[in-house]
Amino acid sequence: MNFDLSETQTLIRDTARKFAREVVAPRARQLDREEIFPVDAYRQMGELGLLGVNVPSEYGGAEAGVVSYSLAVIEIAAACASTSVGMCVTNMCAELICQFGTEDQKKRFVTKLVSGEAVAGAFALSEPHAGSDPGAGTTNAVKKGDRWVINGSKQWITSGAYAGVIVVWARTSNEGNKGLSCFLVEKGTPGLTVGRAEDKMGLRGSNTVPLLFENCEVGEENLLGRQGDGFKLAMVALDGGRIGIASQACGVGRAAIEASVKYVKDRHAFGHPIGDFQALRFMLADMTTQQQTAELLTWRAATMKEKKTPFTREASMAKLFASEMSNKVCDKAVQLHGGYGYIDEFPVERYLRDARVQTIYEGTSEIQRIVIAREVIKAG
Ligand code: CAA
């Protein structure tokens, strides 16, 4: 077991850290307050290689591996969770197209995604009545000549109003999970309408919208993977995506701890800095232990993915533990700040609001437990 970072991993982490501290963090509060989606930050992340960290260099990626990807997400998330979620989904879409796309699709779509030209990628799987059970989706695609015509609606689509490339799941037959196929749809395609942005509790600098497809046509060359393989593509993408969200949770948890350490040194009560009191020290000890445990689980899943060994169970364990951890840690951070934790003068109330969705999206904690239990039983 080697806990040292390689030269490449250190470079990616430091690049992301510098960008996060100098560009992302100073605006994070404003993005949250004013619900601003930072298009310029996405373009800059593209220039720095952060939108395709684990994407081959021939398609414009940094080709730096999955651990590097996790390290980069942690840095961006520690500065601004909103910015990190769009980064995660863009990396996930680019990797999915690299894995299952034709050469033409990789050249057309992946290069646009990782360079920032497309601003972001979007992952249009969930529907108003099909979230945890994507196999129940009813959006459909019908073949007409050499075109696919998509009709239906999608819900909770991250970066949906800005994404230049959208990966869309649609039903091509009535065979449940086996009836789903996957399509690449570009922003501005006639028949695609972006709905009203959701007014969210957290991640307010991220854009979350419904998408409506009304006779939205794409060429047959936009089918990603084989017809009927869409469900499996979604599962494969989400296995990797869950490492991204686990990393995001680690980043937000770390930021909450850093803010708390600063606060307990500055704030005095009963004639002492409050960090002198054992009650708060024990809180910090538990927060740090949980956050670092989550990082180790996340990097183990990342290492397994990088080595191409099955990692479904480990990705779900990392996502489950890290997202629950960040909620607990951010909650403790607010508690430890007292009244100041409840107002926006300090960042911990934002961290808590941002952390809340992590146990919900890319598979709820309950779905992660289903995946983990199935894998545990399968392995005997
Ligand atoms: N890798 C490859 N194939 C997989 C797989 C995986 N990890 N998991 C399942 N499959 C395959 C199975 O082998 C099976 O194949 P066969 O039919 O050939 O045997 C097929 O897929 C169906 O699998 P299941 O029977 O396990 O499917 P299920 O209907 O019981 O569902 C589930 C399983 C794990 C609950 C799945 O539905 C799931 O993950 N749900 C959660 C969906 C989710 O995470 N949504 C998040 C939305 S995206 C998002 O949030 C992005 C964002 O913007 C932030």
Side-chain angles (χ1 to χ4, degrees):
M1 213 177 289
N2 180 5
F3 291 101
D4 294 333
L5 298 186
S6 70
E7 235 176 86
T8 304
Q9 289 162 353
T10 307
L11 178 70
I12 293 285
R13 184 203 56 191
D14 292 350
T15 304
R17 183 173 288 176
K18 188 168 185 299
F19 178 68
R21 289 187 179 166
E22 290 175 6
V23 179
V24 182
R27 282 173 68 195
R29 178 172 177 268
Q30 188 200 4
L31 300 188
D32 174 68
R33 301 296 295 177
E34 297 172 24
E35 293 181 87
I36 299 168
F37 182 90
V39 171
D40 53 335
Y42 284 86
R43 302 237 195 255
Q44 285 172 279
M45 285 196 285
E47 282 165 24
L48 294 171
L50 300 178
L51 296 183
V53 180
N54 186 40
V55 167
S57 54
E58 61 181 307
Y59 305 113
E63 203 171 319
V66 192
V67 174
S68 294
Y69 168 59
S70 169
L71 292 164
V73 173
I74 289 174
E75 294 304 326
I76 303 297
C80 174
S82 290
T83 305
S84 76
V85 68
M87 170 195 177
C88 285
V89 175
T90 306
N91 274 275
M92 174 164 70
C93 292
E95 283 195 42
L96 182 68
I97 302 170
C98 279
Q99 196 170 349
F100 294 99
T102 61
E103 195 52 36
D104 173 59
Q105 288 172 340
K106 293 182 209 177
K107 289 201 175 114
R108 262 178 79 198
F109 299 108
V110 176
T111 49
K112 266 193 204 168
L113 281 170
V114 304
S115 64
E117 187 191 332
V119 182
F123 192 85
L125 176 65
S126 299
E127 298 189 6
H129 302 288
S132 289
D133 181 14
T138 55
T139 293
N140 65 80
V142 175
K143 189 94 185 268
K144 290 214 172 120
D146 61 357
R147 312 281 291 165
W148 285 99
V149 184
I150 306 173
N151 277 288
S153 60
K154 294 287 169 181
Q155 182 85 331
W156 319 124
I157 308 308
T158 299
S159 311
Y162 296 89
V165 178
I166 308 170
V167 185
V168 180
W169 277 263
R171 181 161 296 291
T172 48
S173 83
N174 288 326
E175 295 167 79
N177 289 342
K178 289 190 167 58
L180 291 186
S181 300
C182 194
F183 299 90
L184 298 170
V185 180
E186 288 182 86
K187 182 181 165 80
T189 304
L192 165 61
T193 311
V194 177
R196 189 181 66 86
E198 303 295 348
D199 187 357
K200 306 192 294 292
M201 167 186 180
L203 292 187
R204 294 175 66 81
S206 142
N207 168 259
T208 309
V209 290
L211 297 177
L212 185 64
F213 295 85
E214 290 169 303
N215 294 322
C216 177
E217 283 189 31
V218 293
E220 59 185 354
E221 67 283 2
N222 286 31
L223 173 73
L224 178 65
R226 286 182 315 196
Q227 191 179 330
D229 274 356
F231 188 84
K232 282 192 190 170
L233 263 65
M235 294 298 111
V236 169
L238 285 168
D239 279 348
R242 287 166 185 163
I243 295 175
I245 299 304
S247 307
Q248 179 192 76
C250 291
V252 175
R254 192 186 82 190
I257 293 168
E258 285 167 358
S260 300
V261 170
K262 186 171 179 313
Y263 188 76
V264 299
K265 285 182 180 170
D266 290 349
R267 174 80 176 170
H268 283 64
F270 305 103
H272 291 268
I274 60 172
D276 282 358
F277 297 114
Q278 193 180 47
L280 300 191
R281 288 183 166 228
F282 279 11
M283 271 192 208
L284 280 174
D286 288 344
M287 289 157 77
T288 307
T289 305
Q290 287 165 12
Q291 193 274 344
Q292 294 200 7
T293 306
E295 284 185 346
L296 290 176
L297 276 174
T298 305
W299 293 333
R300 180 176 67 149
T303 304
M304 290 171 75
K305 180 179 171 196
E306 205 163 290
K307 289 188 171 161
K308 302 196 188 323
T309 50
F311 66 97
T312 298
R313 184 184 67 169
E314 284 70 19
S316 281
M317 286 165 66
K319 201 276 186 180
L320 170 65
F321 188 85
S323 60
E324 303 266 341
M325 172 281 295
S326 69
N327 274 275
K328 283 186 218 145
V329 163
C330 293
D331 185 53
K332 286 289 180 207
V334 169
Q335 183 68 18
L336 189 149
H337 278 70
Y340 289 104
Y342 201 61
I343 59 173
D344 94 328
E345 192 181 329
F346 289 83
V348 289
E349 61 85 29
R350 169 164 55 87
Y351 299 155
L352 180 60
R353 288 187 288 105
D354 286 349
R356 190 61 193 87
V357 75
Q358 289 161 359
T359 62
I360 299 172
Y361 64 14
E362 297 215 9
T364 61
S365 287
E366 293 67 35
I367 289 291
Q368 305 312 324
R369 289 186 176 97
I370 290 174
V371 173
I372 296 162
R374 280 183 183 180
E375 293 292 322
V376 168
I377 291 167
K378 200 163 80 185

